Protein backbone atom coordinates (compact mmCIF):
# COMPACT_ATOMS: atom_id res chain seq x y z
CA UNK A 1 0.00 0.00 0.00
CA UNK A 2 1.36 3.38 -1.02
CA UNK A 3 1.11 6.37 1.30
CA UNK A 4 2.37 8.81 -1.31
CA UNK A 5 1.18 12.37 -0.75
CA UNK A 6 -0.98 13.79 -3.49
CA UNK A 7 0.71 16.60 -5.40
CA UNK A 8 -1.15 19.91 -5.18
CA UNK A 9 -2.90 20.95 -8.35
CA UNK A 10 -1.10 23.34 -10.63
CA UNK A 11 -2.87 26.59 -11.44
CA UNK A 12 -3.81 25.47 -14.95
CA UNK A 13 -5.21 22.17 -13.66
CA UNK A 14 -7.23 23.92 -10.96
CA UNK A 15 -8.61 26.44 -13.45
CA UNK A 16 -9.55 23.68 -15.89
CA UNK A 17 -11.33 21.74 -13.15
CA UNK A 18 -13.11 24.93 -12.09
CA UNK A 19 -14.38 25.39 -15.65
CA UNK A 20 -15.62 21.79 -15.65
CA UNK A 21 -17.42 22.35 -12.35
CA UNK A 22 -19.21 25.40 -13.77
CA UNK A 23 -20.37 23.29 -16.72
CA UNK A 24 -21.53 20.53 -14.38
CA UNK A 25 -23.42 22.99 -12.18
CA UNK A 26 -25.29 24.26 -15.23
CA UNK A 27 -26.64 20.74 -15.80
CA UNK A 28 -30.17 20.80 -14.42
CA UNK A 29 -30.23 17.03 -13.92
CA UNK A 30 -27.75 16.94 -11.02
CA UNK A 31 -29.03 16.58 -7.49
CA UNK A 32 -28.90 19.22 -4.80
CA UNK A 33 -26.27 17.17 -2.95
CA UNK A 34 -24.11 16.96 -6.08
CA UNK A 35 -24.51 20.70 -6.59
CA UNK A 36 -23.37 21.40 -3.04
CA UNK A 37 -20.35 19.12 -3.38
CA UNK A 38 -19.37 20.74 -6.67
CA UNK A 39 -19.84 24.20 -5.16
CA UNK A 40 -17.59 23.32 -2.21
CA UNK A 41 -14.93 21.95 -4.54
CA UNK A 42 -15.23 25.04 -6.71
CA UNK A 43 -14.75 27.38 -3.76
CA UNK A 44 -11.60 25.51 -2.71
CA UNK A 45 -10.24 25.63 -6.27
CA UNK A 46 -11.10 29.31 -6.58
CA UNK A 47 -9.19 30.01 -3.37
CA UNK A 48 -6.19 28.03 -4.68
CA UNK A 49 -6.22 29.97 -7.96
CA UNK A 50 -6.49 33.31 -6.16
CA UNK A 51 -3.60 32.48 -3.83
CA UNK A 52 -1.47 31.32 -6.75
CA UNK A 53 -2.14 34.52 -8.68
CA UNK A 54 -1.37 36.66 -5.63
CA UNK A 55 1.94 34.84 -5.14
CA UNK A 56 2.79 35.32 -8.82
CA UNK A 57 1.97 39.02 -8.59
CA UNK A 58 4.25 39.39 -5.56
CA UNK A 59 7.08 37.59 -7.34
CA UNK A 60 6.69 39.85 -10.37
CA UNK A 61 6.71 42.97 -8.18
CA UNK A 62 9.87 41.77 -6.45
CA UNK A 63 11.62 41.19 -9.77
CA UNK A 64 10.53 44.60 -11.05
CA UNK A 65 11.77 46.31 -7.86
CA UNK A 66 15.15 44.55 -8.08
CA UNK A 67 15.45 45.58 -11.72
CA UNK A 68 14.58 49.17 -10.81
CA UNK A 69 17.25 49.23 -8.08
CA UNK A 70 19.82 47.74 -10.46
CA UNK A 71 19.01 50.40 -13.07
CA UNK A 72 19.41 53.17 -10.48
CA UNK A 73 22.82 51.82 -9.42
CA UNK A 74 24.21 51.80 -12.95
Amino acid sequence: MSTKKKEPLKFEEALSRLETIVDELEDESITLEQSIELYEEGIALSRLCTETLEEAELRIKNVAEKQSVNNENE
Side-chain angles (χ1 to χ4, degrees):
M1 191 183 330
S2 177
T3 57
K4 212 177 199 182
K5 283 191 175 181
K6 191 174 181 181
E7 291 288 321
L9 285 178
K10 294 182 179 173
F11 175 80
E12 294 80 4
E13 295 168 331
L15 188 58
S16 177
R17 176 62 184 141
L18 203 47
E19 291 170 348
T20 301
I21 288 172
V22 169
D23 291 340
E24 291 176 12
L25 284 170
E26 291 174 345
D27 182 354
E28 295 177 9
S29 68
I30 65 172
T31 65
L32 177 60
E33 186 61 35
Q34 289 170 320
S35 295
I36 293 169
E37 289 174 8
L38 287 169
Y39 179 79
E40 290 172 336
E41 182 182 355
I43 291 297
L45 289 169
S46 175
R47 191 173 297 125
L48 173 68
C49 288
T50 299
E51 290 171 359
T52 302
L53 288 172
E54 288 172 352
E55 289 172 10
E57 181 180 16
L58 182 59
R59 288 176 61 192
I60 290 168
K61 283 182 181 180
N62 286 337
V63 168
E65 287 174 6
K66 286 179 185 176
Q67 184 63 36
S68 177
V69 168
N70 287 341
N71 288 342
E72 289 174 2
N73 291 335
E74 289 181 355

